[in-house]
Amino acid sequence: MPDSITITDNRTGESFEVPIVDGGVDSAEWKNNLPGLWFNDPGYTTTSACLSSITEIKGDEGILRYRGYPIEQLAEQSTYLEVAYLLVNGELPDKGQYDQWVHDITHHTYTHENFRRRFVDGFHFNAHPMGMLTSSLAAMSTFYPEAKDIEDPANRMLQITRLIAKLPTLAAASYRFSIGMPYVFPENDLSFPHNFLSMMFKVAEDKYETDPAIVRALDILFILHADHEQNCSTTTARTVGSAHADPYSSVAAAAAALYGPRHGGANEAVLNMLDEIGTYDQVDDFIAGVKRGERRLMGFGHRVYKNFDPRATIIKNAADEVFKVTGSNPRLDIALKLEEAALNDEYFISRKLYPNVDFYSGLIYQSLGFPPEMFTVLFAIPRVSGWLAHWNEMLEHNSRITRPRQLYTGAAERPYVAIGDR
Ligand code: CMC
């Protein structure tokens, strides 16, 4: 049997054959044979927008791999910086490459003083840290005008290094500003996650110390959030990048997409939801409201995973390790009951709705001392490596500008009517 499909246009009786390659069909075959007939696919549920060799997801089997490596093995044995290198460069680094990468990232963590003093300090006193991060990323393009040279691979790599390095600094600055605390400068002898915790929580001590289990848990969360193929924010980064915008602008646009509660904003929404439910005995009422369509169960459901989200499984284990140090989160009981009630309910079973990465991550973040407004920022810190890996891959593939079609359903041509005659 040929690996192809045959399409017949019943209006003309003409058929054409389309080869199946890498699990898809080339839309150019359709376009050439049926000009002017567009696929209507809002939300791109059945459209592949690119070829990519970065992340593989098999939604029905709960499989997630970065460059072929299973997420479980990376979460167990790797570090976030190693994973970031893997995503961006395609291979795991050897010892020399890793040391150089860590050195480069460490030495790009500072931001320009004008940026911190004039820009970050200019926000309104109660600005949401995610809004601050998004606009800070866009503003950063003005500090690095050479980033516009997107044709030069070495220049692209410099901007990628800068962005991965500066994200924790920007994230911590937005938090410290929001609580009126002085900024803490990056420290070169601390690991990536430890340095971030220090910039977040250091007060007057010489060195910010914390339990290694906490540092490791944060690094695991960074690994799990580093990439997830063509999600809403990554698609945004690719779309904006396809217009040849500089990487800071492309990543700022991606961060804006991540901010939404259907995407990265879900972790904050989960915590708010658990607070709203309030007590264990309110869970059944809440589930009933979700089934009546009054609202969504935040942290549940996924466009691609229809069985389980492998990141949620790893996060649940990481949560146990964190709670051993911090003590259990008071909302954990409500979350567990919510999960159990939903997993046994026909409404959720029939729609294949399972806990996603955001269901438990917020509980960990909260136990680590992060306020809910910071949760999506915590997602953005590692996801920038995924956005940039995709941005770089897109430019390497020399892809075309993103420009979909539409099916026009508006008024037919009609003459203009003067305002007094309407
Ligand atoms: N609670 C209740 N019902 C839901 C939920 C939910 N969380 N998610 C989907 N459904 C229902 C939905 O109402 C629909 O029912 P029906 O067929 O009767 O109309 C059905 O399930 C299919 O939903 P959909 O909206 O077509 O699914 P989608 O693939 O377009 O949306 C999603 C995926 C993640 C946006 C959605 O499941 C959702 O809004 N979940 C809550 C927000 C969330 O947790 N987001 C984080 C996703 S993972 C991390 C990330 O991407 O950043």
Side-chain angles (χ1 to χ4, degrees):
M1 295 282 272
D3 219 4
S4 66
I5 56 166
T6 301
I7 295 165
T8 304
D9 183 347
N10 292 324
R11 298 167 302 178
T12 60
E14 283 178 20
S15 293
F16 60 99
E17 194 178 336
V18 189
I20 299 173
V21 182
D22 292 328
V25 289
D26 188 345
S27 69
E29 300 280 350
W30 178 277
K31 193 170 118 195
N32 295 340
N33 286 285
L34 298 166
L37 194 64
W38 311 117
F39 287 110
N40 184 32
D41 186 15
Y44 304 129
T45 57
T46 36
T47 298
S48 152
C50 60
L51 301 179
S52 181
S53 53
I54 300 171
T55 289
E56 184 181 23
I57 301 177
K58 293 187 180 178
D60 290 337
E61 297 159 63
I63 286 176
L64 168 61
R65 300 184 190 125
Y66 296 159
R67 302 278 189 189
Y69 296 102
I71 192 68
E72 293 79 6
Q73 292 179 24
L74 293 170
E76 171 94 30
Q77 300 173 53
S78 178
T79 64
Y80 163 64
L81 278 192
E82 193 179 30
V83 164
Y85 184 99
L86 172 70
L87 290 170
V88 170
N89 294 287
E91 296 296 338
L92 285 169
D94 62 24
K95 177 82 174 71
Q97 289 166 327
Y98 184 64
D99 290 346
Q100 184 64 48
W101 174 242
V102 172
H103 175 275
D104 292 348
I105 295 288
T106 307
H107 288 83
H108 278 291
T109 48
Y110 273 67
T111 55
H112 194 290
E113 268 300 275
N114 279 349
F115 184 81
R116 192 174 59 82
R117 290 220 188 109
R118 302 252 169 92
F119 193 79
V120 180
D121 280 354
F123 280 101
H124 198 48
F125 71 95
N126 61 353
H128 192 289
M130 195 57 195
M132 289 178 71
L133 179 73
T134 304
S135 9
S136 299
L137 285 165
M140 213 160 238
S141 76
T142 64
F143 283 77
Y144 301 108
E146 76 277 16
K148 287 187 196 315
D149 181 10
I150 52 132
E151 306 289 349
D152 174 9
N155 187 37
R156 290 208 298 267
M157 196 48 75
L158 172 62
Q159 310 313 325
I160 288 173
T161 307
R162 275 189 180 138
L163 271 160
I164 292 174
K166 290 190 200 312
L167 247 284
T169 316
L170 293 181
S174 64
Y175 170 68
R176 302 285 290 204
F177 174 83
S178 72
I179 56 162
M181 291 281 283
Y183 303 111
V184 175
F185 290 111
E187 289 189 40
N188 288 357
D189 58 338
L190 298 179
S191 69
F192 187 87
H194 193 167
N195 184 40
F196 174 57
L197 289 169
S198 164
M199 289 190 287
M200 282 287 301
F201 299 126
K202 187 168 158 181
V203 184
E205 63 272 42
D206 282 345
K207 204 92 196 158
Y208 177 78
E209 301 291 351
T210 185
D211 194 304
I214 299 285
V215 177
R216 180 62 193 152
L218 187 62
D219 213 28
I220 292 173
L221 285 160
F222 284 166
I223 292 170
L224 299 181
H225 286 90
D227 192 43
H228 214 232
E229 51 116 306
Q230 311 309 318
N231 54 80
C232 183
S233 55
T234 303
T235 301
T236 304
R238 279 187 177 260
T239 298
V240 176
S242 79
H244 285 187
D246 69 79
Y248 298 91
S249 305
S250 303
V251 159
L258 189 75
Y259 196 0
R262 282 177 164 186
H263 189 12
N267 49 20
E268 181 179 347
V270 170
L271 243 281
N272 294 337
M273 176 186 75
L274 294 176
D275 280 348
E276 190 189 321
I277 295 172
T279 55
Y280 194 77
D281 52 0
Q282 294 296 315
V283 167
D284 291 338
D285 274 359
F286 185 83
I287 293 269
V290 170
K291 286 162 64 178
R292 285 194 300 272
E294 288 163 12
R295 50 182 311 161
R296 288 201 164 198
L297 181 50
M298 300 312 286
F300 259 67
H302 200 275
R303 172 64 60 77
V304 184
Y305 296 121
K306 298 297 176 196
N307 194 341
F308 67 97
D309 181 339
R311 301 168 300 172
T313 314
I314 301 168
I315 281 191
K316 229 173 150 180
N317 295 336
D320 291 340
E321 294 306 310
V322 169
F323 298 154
K324 275 184 204 159
V325 180
T326 62
S328 185
N329 188 309
R331 289 163 191 80
L332 181 63
D333 286 350
I334 301 176
L336 287 169
K337 183 167 180 202
L338 206 54
E339 180 183 1
E340 194 195 333
L343 292 181
N344 289 303
D345 193 295
E346 184 48 31
Y347 176 94
F348 296 92
I349 296 169
S350 62
R351 289 169 178 78
K352 301 189 177 206
L353 299 172
Y354 298 87
N356 59 48
V357 68
D358 289 323
F359 193 65
Y360 284 104
S361 60
L363 290 177
I364 305 186
Y365 294 145
Q366 193 179 45
S367 290
L368 294 180
F370 294 99
E373 311 82 71
M374 278 300 288
F375 293 178
T376 313
V377 173
L378 285 157
F379 192 152
I381 290 173
R383 181 54 62 89
V384 78
S385 60
W387 292 332
L388 291 165
H390 283 272
W391 170 77
N392 200 37
E393 180 182 71
M394 179 201 63
L395 292 170
E396 275 170 2
H397 289 184
N398 201 17
S399 69
R400 302 175 73 190
I401 189 167
T402 301
R403 204 306 183 188
R405 299 292 183 141
Q406 63 167 19
L407 304 186
Y408 177 69
T409 58
E413 185 184 342
R414 47 184 172 164
Y416 178 79
V417 180
I419 193 160
D421 298 334
R422 284 174 215 159

